[in-house]
Amino acid sequence: MIKHDVLIVGAGLAGMRAALEVCKELDVGLLTKVYPSRSHSGAAQGGIAAALGNSEDDSWEEHMFDTVKGGDYLNDQDAVEEYVKAAPEVIYELEHMGCAFSRTEDGKIAQRSFGGHSKPRACFSADRTGHAILHALHEQVLKHAKSIKVYSEWYMHQLVVEEGRCCGVVVSNIRTGEVEVIHAKAVIFATGGYGRVFQITTNAFAGTADGAIAAFRAGVPLEDCEFVQFHPSGLYRQGILFSEAARGEGGYLLNGKGERFMEQYAPSRMELAPRDIVARAEQSEIDAGRGVNGEDYIHLDLRHLGEARIMERLPQIRQLGIDFIGVDCVKDPLPIQPSAHYSMGGIPTDMFGQVIIDADKTPLKGFFAAGECACVSVHGANRLGTNSLLDATVFGGRAGRTALEYAKKVEFGKINGSHEKARVLDQIEEIFQRDGTESYNQIRNEMKEVMMDKCGVFRDEENLKSCISTIQGLKERYKKGKVTDKGQLFNSELYEIVELGNMLEMAEIISTAALARQESRGGHHRTDFPKRDDENFLKHSLVYPKDGQLELKYKPVVVTRYQPKERTY
Amino acid sequence: MKFALFTGCVAKGATRELMLATIKSAEALGIDFVEMKSAACCGAGVVSEKNPVLTDAINARTFALAEEQNLDIITICSTCQGNLKKSECHIDSDAEYKDKINYVLKDGGHQYQGGKIKIKHFSNILATPEGKALLKEKIKRPLTGLKAAGFYGCYILRPSELSEYEDPDNPKELEELFEILGATPVYYPSRIKCCGFPIIMMNKDASHELAGNALVEAVESGADCVVTGCPLCHLSLDSYQPEIPSLQKKHYSIPILHLPQLVALALGFSPEEIGMDKHIVSTAGLDKILAQHA
Amino acid sequence: MAKFRIKRFNPEKQADPYYEEFDFEIPEGATLLDCLNHIKWNMDGALTYRMSCRSAICGSCAVKGNGHALLACQKQAAHLLKDGSDTITIEPLGNMPVIKDLVTDFKQFWEKIDQVKPYLQNNEKPPAQEREQSPQQFKKIDDATTCIMCGACYSDCQVLAVDNKFLGPAALAKAQRFVGDSRDQATRERVKELSKPGGMWDCTHCAECVERCPKPAEPFYRIKGLMESALKEGVTNNVGARHALSFVNSVKHSGRLNENKIPIESMGYFNIKGLLDLLPVGLRMLLKMKIPPIIHKPIDDVKDVQRIFEEFGE
């Protein structure tokens, strides 16, 4: 059995930031199913928010208000306050670590405008900010190799919970296929999101809800899963991300008639309204037949920015357009459509990264979460661009600190290693033994399609019910698949099947929570309930596992400074 | 056809046979050269290790000299070709940079305008439709039966964004020329690889292994000779050949020709007239092959 | 119909690698990764390769296509069909052991990254806010920081193919990212370390890494940057640096390279072993009268060249 004081699953921004905190005093294992540098945080492009005021006066209060309004007032405001106040310090810390930021003429960190933010507060590194931060943190992890043991290409199967306390995880080494139990005083999940549940997504193939579902299967509820953010500028049909920075730098959105249609939807902020509003506007234009050439896409037009500006601020976007669709944005507009991008919901935590399992804030001892897999909730019903890198960094550090303090105080919990290991081995063996006729690929495609069509930007009762029933059918068919590769060595097919199991579970949770929320708020829009309903739904949803079914509960939203108001831009 | 000939340093030094063969074959083809006697070394990718801007300035001066004569530059060395192109790209893509460099050139009475002249390797010129037609017309002794393995030299190919070589992973110029000259081209993966020369003094073993791998591959692909457009490759592959372990282990030996020598042979010159007796590895075997097929 | 000729290797089943062909029509706009996925999901679930972001930023899916390293997700499959060929050959990256099919072992790659101390070194107490860095200073590390550690350069590096002690393009580019960083204080120690055998001067200038790099990191340019920094720092007690200085001197004095002088000056007048190494080739060339003229003649108008050198402070 492998032992670590603290074991972290996921090595993106949140996981690595947590590891750097823990390693100050304790021994830490950092486990990832890819390599740290391949984590999806690296795909974030536009920036990381902090009210530094480097180009215009700014304050944490304004950052807080923008975040709460952007989140359609579902955010827990006590957490938001801590979060935005911590932002500048976190940015300076990254800078001191060596993170490469674009600069102002006077040598300060440059800041640009972003959707829903009333001030230019997105600190950035050209259009690869996530990549710059990811590598800066990875550099620090390499520097602290003595106290951070990295497990690259290891897969986490399940959480070990004994007597109400988390004591470790069961994992397998992807390269050798060996299943191992890792015994830990504290476990931190930083496993990212689950955009891969949807057909069109900006997410990496790795975004398959592994962490959320492992927690869920251990009895932890999942919070606010109905809130999935659709990014307004995913590449048509493929979802590859074109950063909001393109609009932050002045890009236009044009419909098939060449109109800047945002005038109709958010006249004061235009293209820089929050993402939920822009994505809905795009989908409305497309649904009304005003897509470009009558197709399901609209145009992101950067031509007026000029080549020099594009090369300085958006070079990667230009290259992506050239490589993936042969469109040079200096000369032609880019075809885009709303693409599943970010999960506002996830594993419920308090503002210190401690996982809490009910409205009374009962902790699951020894279990912590941060980043996209967690729901603090600082983003409410819709996250503002550049707030996620900040979330991962702030709460990664906090979860690390909390786990560290906890682990210092306790002994290793009791664990029945061979039993836990056998459970996972049995699951794997069961998959190997299946001799059905169903194609996992077909099941995955059907899941993605139905989630996009019926649980996407616009939802209603009829579609959601049909969606849930389709997913339930797919879950049955999933049990009747067939595997080609039964080897131990680097069996990527096996992990894809396990991931698909996680995604089907997640898809049902998302659509079930969406069906129950009979209102429209932030990223969740019901055409049959088009208004926000604070009276009945100013509350967080919690989906619990109960006897193989899903059980829905709710908990209140923390409102401190800003009372819910009508949200217009 | 008239060109400003940028000889490069090595063709005037250790591989004077290259110069000799170039002059002879050009004369026979009716290609006119004006030697750029006041042009400085291209920097060979080494001066830029110390000072990249200086390198570009020195090369801009060379371009200005050609502009003054209104002649395209012709090179006979892949390394010169690559380094001149590199400077040309640097300067042509940045107007401010060009001004900065011209400011320095001014006191010498030169100004580089840009876009007026082209920089071409001898092989590039011969591989044009006109060049090929000219060769066909002037061939006196087709090199029938000779299996020739091309060796391009890195700098003419890569980085392709600066060398502006069309297909650096699958070049065809040398092989097309071999066919026109009557020889049979031999294709082998190492034809676009490094000869090891740049690290001959820093890491001799690695350098020799690079050269050795290429030559073993050429021999085992059935080549009678290796033909290169780069005198530095020639030094690495010919002068060092007797001490390359991988080759010696297999008792292989293969003559290395400069491209203009191969051209000159087909134009009827004798090996002695074009300095083939200056090579370290004997080229006598080639005469036999050619005699057999004559 | 296109043929995907894939190099397969699964030591659990068969000791030796072999090639297997998969035939299908390339869908319009499909990347090479889309095609690999098509094979895995519809034709052979056991086909093994790495992938994640499919947008050229995570660096997982580097493989060899038609003999050269590339990112599968960044390459349009149809672009690999050239000259009327109907076959695309896909192989694992080079210069690394293969684990299974297209999955290679990155252990040594990462060890070399570790060797260059890949983190900012600055022992001063940081200011309360950010350390200042001008846009011009940022520009010096801008390109190097785009590296995604995909291993494409490492795979095709020609020196690594013959000498695995060479640090290789990715590690050297990473090193330049810190050598060039105005906030890093270890420049001199870094370039000293990187001037040792296996370091920057072992690069053979083939620029293969520039061809293969899917990002603007383009390691060869970064290696040239390291050389410039090393010479600027006066780290010159090695063959590579002496070679560069001798070369520059020669061009400055005569406008041309002095081939008689450079080998001796590069080795160093007191480097007996190095000088003896030169002897065989020197003798061979002498016997053929293949040596450069003893009297080194300058180019015409060498004064103008000397003037330019002086303008640049050389």
Side-chain angles (χ1 to χ4, degrees):
Chain A
M1 193 158 29
I2 303 167
K3 262 189 169 186
H4 287 289
D5 291 325
V6 178
L7 190 276
I8 300 168
V9 184
L13 254 53
M16 288 203 283
R17 183 60 193 81
L20 291 171
E21 199 62 32
V22 179
C23 83
K24 287 174 183 167
E25 298 181 51
L26 293 178
D27 142 74
V28 51
L30 179 62
L31 185 132
T32 163
K33 66 176 175 178
V34 288
Y35 275 84
S37 66
R38 320 242 184 270
S39 305
H40 197 55
S41 304
Q45 296 172 353
I48 176 166
L52 303 183
N54 282 354
S55 54
E56 259 182 56
D57 269 348
D58 200 359
S59 66
W60 68 261
E61 289 90 344
E62 289 164 277
H63 188 183
M64 177 171 172
F65 176 72
D66 291 343
T67 300
V68 171
K69 184 181 173 190
D72 224 347
Y73 297 90
L74 193 72
N75 328 51
D76 285 328
Q77 294 186 18
D78 53 345
V80 179
E81 183 167 335
E82 295 262 328
Y83 158 77
V84 296
K85 279 181 175 170
E89 200 183 316
V90 158
I91 304 293
Y92 296 140
E93 184 192 56
L94 289 171
E95 196 282 332
H96 296 158
M97 282 178 188
C99 184
F101 283 107
S102 295
R103 300 286 175 152
T104 62
E105 279 307 317
D106 56 353
K108 302 236 174 223
I109 294 172
Q111 296 189 281
R112 61 161 60 118
S113 299
F114 240 79
H117 290 282
S118 55
K119 292 287 169 65
R121 67 171 70 98
C123 309
F124 61 95
S125 181
D127 55 356
R128 46 173 194 278
T129 313
H131 175 265
I133 300 173
L134 183 75
H135 282 259
L137 289 174
H138 188 216
E139 287 155 10
Q140 294 301 308
V141 167
L142 293 173
K143 185 178 175 182
H144 294 95
K146 279 196 183 117
S147 44
I148 303 173
K149 161 85 177 153
V150 179
Y151 297 85
S152 288
E153 298 186 325
W154 285 60
Y155 187 84
M156 183 274 302
H157 292 275
Q158 72 184 28
L159 203 54
V160 179
V161 177
E162 298 274 355
E163 294 165 5
R165 177 185 167 194
C166 174
C167 312
V169 285
V170 187
V171 299
S172 55
N173 179 340
I174 294 174
R175 179 165 176 178
T176 63
E178 275 170 280
V179 173
E180 301 257 16
V181 175
I182 301 184
H183 200 180
K185 292 175 181 173
V187 172
I188 305 174
F189 271 14
T191 52
Y194 37 78
R196 278 281 146 187
V197 167
F198 295 87
Q199 185 185 22
I200 308 293
T201 175
T202 63
N203 282 196
F205 283 102
T208 53
D210 303 342
I213 294 304
F216 181 74
R217 289 188 180 134
V220 176
L222 297 179
E223 181 177 346
D224 288 347
C225 295
E226 62 271 41
F227 297 102
V228 174
Q229 177 167 85
F230 287 81
H231 196 288
S233 49
L235 173 61
Y236 178 48
R237 286 203 179 121
Q238 303 191 44
I240 288 169
L241 178 65
F242 289 130
S243 172
E244 188 171 319
R247 281 170 284 137
E249 295 292 344
Y252 298 150
L253 295 176
L254 305 176
N255 64 14
K257 294 171 155 176
E259 299 162 339
R260 284 180 73 187
F261 56 86
M262 284 310 296
E263 239 159 38
Q264 311 299 320
Y265 300 88
S268 75
R269 296 287 295 166
M270 294 294 286
E271 282 86 354
L272 287 178
R275 288 176 181 166
D276 57 333
I277 292 172
V278 181
R280 269 196 297 282
E282 289 179 358
Q283 196 60 50
S284 302
E285 292 296 304
I286 290 168
D287 292 348
R290 291 193 293 273
V292 177
N293 300 326
E295 304 261 0
D296 297 346
Y297 67 90
I298 59 128
H299 269 153
L300 172 61
D301 191 353
L302 305 178
R303 290 173 295 185
H304 56 288
L305 301 182
E307 182 170 356
R309 183 78 171 171
I310 289 172
M311 283 314 289
E312 186 202 337
R313 296 293 182 91
L314 306 164
Q316 182 177 234
I317 285 179
R318 183 181 185 193
Q319 198 60 46
L320 285 170
I322 292 170
D323 290 339
F324 288 92
I325 38 161
V327 172
D328 182 351
C329 65
V330 169
K331 297 184 198 121
D332 296 295
L334 296 161
I336 56 165
Q337 74 179 112
S339 306
H341 181 61
Y342 187 85
S343 37
M344 271 69 76
I347 304 167
T349 71
D350 65 14
M351 64 174 93
F352 305 101
Q354 170 69 56
V355 174
I356 48 177
I357 56 171
D358 55 27
D360 301 327
K361 296 200 167 191
T362 308
L364 173 54
K365 283 183 200 158
F367 186 38
F368 307 84
E372 189 176 348
C373 75
C375 179
V376 181
S377 149
V378 287
H379 305 306
N382 171 62
R383 174 178 69 76
L384 294 187
T386 69
N387 266 354
S388 66
L389 292 182
L390 181 64
D391 171 1
T393 318
V394 168
F395 291 107
R398 285 180 155 226
R401 173 53 53 183
T402 315
L404 164 65
E405 294 303 338
Y406 173 81
K408 271 161 60 180
K409 284 192 299 224
V410 301
E411 296 300 315
F412 281 93
K414 282 203 190 80
I415 198 166
N416 184 341
S418 52
H419 170 72
E420 296 294 340
K421 191 170 160 176
R423 271 175 61 193
V424 169
L425 284 170
D426 287 350
Q427 285 161 16
I428 292 172
E429 193 51 33
E430 189 269 323
I431 291 174
F432 282 161
Q433 291 306 323
R434 288 177 196 171
D435 193 24
T437 51
E438 293 287 351
S439 147
Y440 289 113
N441 183 43
Q442 184 71 28
I443 295 169
R444 185 169 42 226
N445 287 342
E446 286 181 35
M447 169 193 73
K448 291 161 82 72
E449 269 166 43
V450 73
M451 289 300 286
M452 198 74 197
D453 288 349
K454 300 187 170 171
C455 192
V457 175
F458 293 113
R459 303 161 170 178
D460 64 37
E461 180 172 331
E462 192 191 329
N463 275 320
L464 286 169
K465 280 184 170 161
S466 146
C467 179
I468 293 167
S469 121
T470 304
I471 297 292
Q472 285 167 344
L474 291 173
K475 281 172 86 174
E476 286 308 308
R477 284 167 58 193
Y478 172 78
K479 295 173 192 162
K480 296 172 202 144
K482 186 171 181 166
V483 62
T484 319
D485 190 348
K486 296 185 182 180
Q488 293 288 303
L489 181 72
F490 219 103
N491 189 338
S492 54
E493 188 187 22
L494 170 68
Y495 299 103
E496 284 186 3
I497 293 169
V498 174
E499 288 168 342
L500 176 58
N502 292 338
M503 286 194 286
L504 287 167
E505 189 85 63
M506 196 68 226
E508 191 180 2
I509 293 169
I510 296 168
S511 43
T512 302
L515 178 64
R517 186 173 287 274
Q518 297 182 328
E519 65 155 353
S520 291
R521 183 189 296 272
H524 171 72
H525 194 93
R526 291 278 299 255
T527 50
D528 44 354
F529 298 97
K531 289 252 152 50
R532 193 174 83 197
D533 177 1
D534 287 337
E535 202 170 312
N536 294 304
F537 285 102
L538 184 59
K539 57 187 182 184
H540 299 291
S541 68
L542 292 172
V543 178
Y544 288 80
K546 195 183 181 192
D547 310 326
Q549 305 283 317
L550 304 181
E551 185 185 24
L552 257 157
K553 293 184 185 174
Y554 290 90
K555 69 176 182 182
V557 172
V558 181
V559 178
T560 57
R561 288 176 170 260
Y562 305 108
Q563 289 303 312
K565 277 198 292 198
E566 200 196 344
R567 181 173 175 249
T568 54
Y569 288 93
Chain B
M1 281 196 265
K2 192 174 176 184
F3 297 96
L5 174 64
F6 184 87
T7 63
C9 303
V10 185
K12 302 282 264 184
T15 62
R16 274 163 292 171
E17 72 277 5
L18 165 60
M19 191 64 189
L20 196 61
T22 305
I23 303 282
K24 298 257 181 203
S25 51
E27 267 173 19
L29 290 166
I31 297 174
D32 248 358
F33 286 155
V34 180
E35 193 183 327
M36 304 183 76
K37 291 194 171 170
S38 59
C41 166
C42 70
V46 179
V47 177
S48 55
E49 291 167 2
K50 182 85 174 32
N51 194 330
V53 187
L54 165 67
T55 308
D56 288 343
I58 294 290
N59 287 335
R61 179 179 169 277
T62 299
F63 308 152
L65 290 170
E67 284 179 343
E68 287 155 20
Q69 300 180 72
N70 208 12
L71 291 176
D72 289 343
I73 293 175
I74 192 167
T75 64
I76 49 174
C77 166
S78 297
T79 303
C80 296
Q81 174 66 23
N83 281 291
L84 293 181
K85 283 298 289 182
K86 200 177 276 189
S87 288
E88 186 196 36
C89 274
H90 288 163
I91 303 164
D92 287 359
S93 65
D94 186 343
E96 218 173 294
Y97 187 54
K98 183 154 87 181
D99 289 346
K100 183 177 159 185
I101 280 175
N102 270 329
Y103 183 78
V104 177
L105 296 189
K106 213 168 102 196
D107 282 351
H110 303 295
Q111 282 293 282
Y112 169 56
Q113 297 173 40
K116 268 184 76 182
I117 55 134
K118 294 193 176 69
I119 303 159
K120 295 281 178 194
H121 189 276
F122 191 43
S123 64
N124 300 147
I125 300 292
L126 295 181
T128 57
E130 302 79 49
K132 285 177 181 168
L134 191 60
L135 275 178
K136 276 185 191 155
E137 182 196 325
K138 304 279 184 180
I139 285 177
K140 287 199 179 135
R141 179 173 67 164
L143 307 176
T144 317
L146 186 71
K147 293 199 267 316
F151 196 88
Y152 280 82
C154 294
Y155 272 105
I156 196 172
L157 301 173
R158 294 179 296 263
S160 56
E161 61 191 8
L162 300 177
S163 71
E164 296 182 321
Y165 204 93
E166 209 174 299
D167 191 354
D169 292 342
N170 193 19
K172 296 183 195 75
E173 268 183 14
L174 288 180
E175 289 77 6
E176 283 173 9
L177 290 177
F178 299 165
E179 278 182 350
I180 289 185
L181 299 175
T184 309
V186 172
Y187 289 88
Y188 63 117
S190 286
R191 68 200 179 95
I192 54 170
K193 289 201 173 158
C194 174
C195 68
F197 189 78
I199 51 169
I200 186 74
M201 278 176 285
M202 299 75 165
N203 188 346
K204 196 166 105 176
D205 291 346
S207 173
H208 282 351
E209 207 170 326
L210 284 167
N213 287 350
L215 294 179
V216 166
E217 220 180 68
V219 171
E220 293 182 350
S221 303
D224 301 317
C225 62
V226 169
V227 182
T228 179
C230 179
L232 299 177
C233 296
H234 193 274
L235 286 173
S236 187
L237 302 177
D238 178 61
S239 301
Y240 282 94
Q241 196 177 120
E243 56 182 296
I244 295 175
S246 55
L247 214 62
Q248 296 313 313
K249 219 179 342 180
K250 298 196 167 190
H251 304 289
Y252 289 167
S253 151
I254 183 166
I256 316 295
L257 268 55
H258 299 285
L259 175 70
Q261 288 179 324
L262 193 77
V263 174
L265 280 178
L267 295 175
F269 292 97
S270 74
E272 292 73 31
E273 283 176 285
I274 49 175
M276 281 168 61
D277 53 339
K278 294 283 182 206
H279 293 193
I280 300 297
V281 180
S282 166
T283 59
L286 302 181
D287 298 342
K288 276 186 214 152
I289 295 168
L290 291 174
Q292 270 171 17
H293 288 85
Chain C
M1 193 75 96
K3 279 189 203 313
F4 289 81
R5 187 170 164 268
I6 302 182
K7 192 171 188 182
R8 304 295 302 267
F9 174 59
N10 182 354
E12 275 184 322
K13 288 191 158 174
Q14 189 179 325
D16 297 317
Y18 60 96
Y19 286 87
E20 187 173 359
E21 277 183 13
F22 298 91
D23 298 358
F24 56 94
E25 209 70 62
I26 299 173
E28 200 196 321
T31 63
L32 182 57
L33 179 61
D34 293 332
C35 294
L36 289 174
N37 285 338
H38 176 82
I39 296 168
K40 185 172 183 70
W41 294 339
N42 298 293
M43 302 167 90
D44 182 357
L47 180 67
T48 306
Y49 48 93
R50 292 188 176 102
M51 60 154 178
S52 191
C53 77
R54 63 80 169 88
S55 55
I57 191 69
C58 81
S60 299
C61 66
V63 294
K64 275 189 178 180
N66 292 342
H68 305 286
L70 46 80
L71 279 186
C73 75
Q74 196 185 30
K75 195 81 186 173
Q76 292 289 315
H79 292 176
L80 288 165
L81 292 172
K82 273 195 182 158
D83 300 329
S85 161
D86 64 348
T87 304
I88 298 172
T89 302
I90 305 165
E91 294 160 313
L93 292 180
N95 293 332
M96 304 181 200
V98 180
I99 296 172
K100 181 179 177 183
D101 289 348
L102 304 174
V103 174
T104 54
D105 187 348
F106 269 67
K107 184 167 177 278
Q108 210 178 42
F109 174 91
W110 286 110
E111 280 170 1
K112 286 175 179 176
I113 300 287
D114 270 337
Q115 267 185 53
V116 304
K117 298 201 172 133
Y119 40 81
L120 192 82
Q121 295 185 56
N122 184 323
N123 294 324
E124 269 169 35
K125 192 175 176 293
Q129 298 186 337
E130 66 266 60
R131 289 194 185 93
E132 285 185 6
Q133 182 170 56
S134 69
Q136 294 72 30
Q137 287 170 325
F138 170 72
K139 214 168 168 359
K140 286 195 173 159
I141 56 169
D142 190 10
D143 289 331
T145 59
T146 64
C147 173
I148 57 174
M149 301 283 164
C150 67
C153 61
Y154 194 94
S155 159
D156 287 19
C157 172
Q158 298 195 27
V159 176
L160 276 169
V162 295
D163 181 3
N164 71 7
K165 287 194 288 297
F166 181 45
L167 276 171
L172 288 168
K174 187 73 175 174
Q176 193 276 329
R177 180 247 168 280
F178 294 103
V179 167
D181 195 325
S182 59
R183 301 167 296 175
D184 191 272
Q185 294 178 324
T187 307
R188 198 182 153 77
E189 296 90 276
R190 286 182 190 278
V191 292
K192 229 172 143 177
E193 201 55 39
L194 297 165
S195 293
K196 291 181 179 168
M200 64 176 102
W201 298 107
D202 277 14
C203 166
T204 191
H205 298 204
C206 71
E208 192 75 50
C209 53
V210 176
E211 265 347 86
R212 306 307 153 210
C213 182
K215 289 283 161 184
E218 303 180 316
F220 177 47
Y221 304 145
R222 311 288 87 79
I223 294 171
K224 294 288 288 267
L226 284 177
M227 291 167 170
E228 207 186 327
S229 297
L231 296 177
K232 207 172 274 168
E233 287 289 329
V235 179
T236 56
N237 190 19
N238 60 74
V239 179
R242 280 194 296 266
H243 175 259
L245 294 178
S246 168
F247 202 114
V248 172
N249 245 331
S250 168
V251 179
K252 182 185 170 179
H253 283 111
S254 62
R256 312 176 36 221
L257 176 64
N258 185 338
E259 292 169 281
N260 288 326
K261 240 179 171 177
I262 197 165
I264 300 168
E265 288 190 350
S266 301
M267 284 304 177
Y269 287 105
F270 303 104
N271 177 357
I272 305 297
K273 189 191 165 294
L275 292 172
L276 282 175
D277 263 359
L278 296 172
L279 215 54
V281 71
L283 284 173
R284 276 196 299 275
M285 291 174 76
L286 193 64
L287 283 172
K288 288 271 186 175
M289 292 306 287
K290 202 178 159 54
I291 47 166
I294 303 295
I295 298 162
H296 182 69
K297 231 182 93 194
I299 59 164
D300 293 355
D301 197 15
V302 69
K303 286 223 160 61
D304 188 34
V305 172
Q306 289 167 347
R307 181 190 63 76
I308 296 173
F309 268 76
E310 275 152 25
E311 291 268 355
F312 283 99
E314 294 292 346

